[in-house]
Amino acid sequence: MRRPSSLLPLMAVLLAAVSAHAAAEVRGTWTAGPQRDSKEFHLQLRQGPNNNMGFSEPVSAFQGLSTADGTASFTLPREAGTLSFEGRFQGGEGAGHYRFTPSEAYAKAMAGLGYPKLTAEDQFKLAATDVTTTRIKDLAAAGYKNLSMDELMQVGIFDVTPVYAKELAGAGYPGLKLEQLVAGRIHGVTAKRVGELASAGFTKLSWDDQLAMNIHGVTPEFVREVRALGFKDLDGDDIVAFRIHGVTPAFVKELRDAGFKDADADGFIGFRIHGVTPAFVKEMRDLGFPEITDDELVAFRIHGVTTDFVKRMRAAGYTRITPDELVSLRIHGVDEDFMRAMSRGGDAGAPAKKQ
């Protein structure tokens, strides 16, 4: 099965969104744009030229928030500490300064959970991503103990909860590692989606296969559409390959209407990979290859046998040249000038006879 790419680059970007230096009080600037959803409020926080992070919260999570034109003063209380904002709003857009005041009670509670040396910056990160002591305790009870600061950040950023782990265990994936749960959240693997794919015929998929299905947009509807075309026995690799290379039901129907009714899954994938389209098929048939095969069409694409190349070779006098001969000429770099020269010299070794 094709595996998802490494999540480490994504983690690096997200975890580097805020600086790592310690400070007694974290300060910076904030901006906010017009909100599409009146129930959500999105903030961008900045602590320097390269330290930016953004997150959305329900409007109800803030105290004193108003986006009406004028000065603004509001707070976002968290267990790890309080984010306080000052600034102005105009036309739904806001900007100003913020400061973060860490909670001593949270620091003490975290020390009891095995995190005795949290800095103000650490608490700022945990507040921004809303990592609570209850979340940490519940994850530990579920088997996810002694998490690093980076892992705690991932838990908060991607909303990894014991409930999510339990739901996936019930769907057939017990004992997933934290990094697997994070990947599941990133790519939208849910117990519901697992059940939907199972109902479409893909039961007992490996965890990586589930991820691959979601990464490449394999939906139960797509599976049913493909199977309705007669591909009853496709495995997960085939379905994912269809999505990766754009083998859609419409593409299959077009090529079948063009005469390729017996092509199998690999054949249609090959068509897509090498750019064999219904238009290309028509072009070659119009050039006098009415019985051209799927393998010959793919070979044409691989080796650059274009309509222009065919026309130039025929203009050189080779009107009955075959698909195999055209491919051979392209492989060996033979053009129409070379063919004309060979024809004038009467070379019996020419790959095609002038007609």
Side-chain angles (χ1 to χ4, degrees):
M1 192 78 189
R2 297 160 186 82
R3 307 302 181 199
S5 60
S6 172
L7 298 171
L8 292 178
L10 176 61
M11 293 298 98
V13 170
L14 290 168
L15 298 178
V18 288
S19 64
H21 68 275
E25 186 178 64
V26 178
R27 295 177 178 270
T29 58
W30 65 271
T31 57
Q35 307 303 302
R36 296 180 181 178
D37 185 347
S38 61
K39 296 180 180 180
E40 291 280 326
F41 186 66
H42 183 77
L43 281 165
Q44 286 287 339
L45 306 184
R46 181 183 176 91
Q47 278 185 267
N50 299 312
N51 295 325
N52 298 282
M53 69 181 305
F55 58 90
S56 295
E57 284 292 325
V59 171
S60 59
F62 295 86
Q63 293 183 357
L65 173 63
S66 172
T67 58
D69 289 359
T71 59
S73 179
F74 56 97
T75 62
L76 178 61
R78 300 287 209 193
E79 185 184 358
T82 300
L83 283 155
S84 301
F85 302 88
E86 301 286 342
R88 291 186 62 85
F89 279 96
Q90 182 69 42
E93 296 184 341
H97 292 82
Y98 74 86
R99 71 180 187 278
F100 172 72
T101 305
S103 165
E104 292 184 8
Y106 180 82
K108 291 179 181 178
M110 289 292 284
L113 293 175
Y115 303 92
K117 298 180 179 180
L118 291 182
T119 65
E121 188 73 26
D122 291 334
Q123 288 189 224
F124 169 67
K125 296 177 184 179
L126 296 170
T129 53
D130 199 20
V131 177
T132 65
T133 54
T134 298
R135 173 82 63 92
I136 295 170
K137 291 175 184 177
D138 290 346
L139 285 169
Y144 302 96
K145 303 177 181 179
N146 304 317
L147 302 181
S148 67
M149 271 297 298
D150 281 357
E151 288 173 329
L152 289 178
M153 285 288 291
Q154 293 172 33
V155 163
I157 290 168
F158 300 111
D159 193 26
V160 177
T161 66
V163 172
Y164 179 62
K166 184 177 180 180
E167 288 174 348
L168 290 177
Y173 300 99
L176 292 175
K177 297 178 181 178
L178 183 70
E179 64 187 37
Q180 292 174 310
L181 293 176
V182 169
R185 277 299 201 199
I186 291 172
H187 299 297
V189 179
T190 63
K192 180 181 179 183
R193 174 53 65 89
V194 172
E196 289 172 344
L197 286 172
S199 69
F202 286 100
T203 60
K204 299 181 179 180
L205 288 171
S206 72
W207 176 249
D208 284 345
D209 288 354
Q210 282 286 353
L211 285 178
M213 291 280 198
N214 271 42
I215 288 169
H216 298 292
V218 176
T219 64
E221 293 74 21
F222 181 73
V223 173
R224 283 189 279 270
E225 288 175 357
V226 169
R227 286 188 167 157
L229 292 171
F231 300 105
K232 304 294 185 181
D233 300 320
L234 291 187
D235 61 17
D237 281 338
D238 293 326
I239 288 287
V240 169
F242 269 35
R243 292 297 285 179
I244 289 173
H245 300 294
V247 179
T248 63
F251 179 75
V252 171
K253 290 176 182 177
E254 287 176 346
L255 280 168
R256 283 179 173 173
D257 289 344
F260 298 97
K261 299 184 182 299
D262 296 327
D264 59 11
D266 287 341
F268 285 109
I269 291 170
F271 284 159
R272 265 304 194 194
I273 290 172
H274 300 293
V276 176
T277 63
F280 183 69
V281 174
K282 184 177 186 304
E283 288 173 2
M284 289 303 165
R285 285 176 173 166
D286 289 346
L287 282 175
F289 301 111
E291 303 299 326
I292 193 167
T293 68
D294 50 0
D295 287 341
E296 289 170 338
L297 285 164
V298 168
F300 273 23
R301 281 305 205 190
I302 290 173
H303 299 291
V305 177
T306 64
T307 54
D308 180 64
F309 179 73
V310 175
K311 290 176 181 178
R312 286 189 283 115
M313 295 308 299
R314 285 180 172 165
Y318 293 86
T319 58
R320 295 185 183 180
I321 196 166
T322 68
D324 284 345
E325 289 169 340
L326 285 165
V327 169
S328 180
L329 293 177
R330 290 299 277 170
I331 289 173
H332 297 290
V334 177
D335 60 15
E336 65 271 27
D337 291 336
F338 179 80
M339 294 295 287
R340 287 193 184 102
M342 292 181 69
S343 178
R344 288 194 296 272
D347 190 336
K353 294 181 178 179
K354 185 175 179 178
Q355 301 293 329

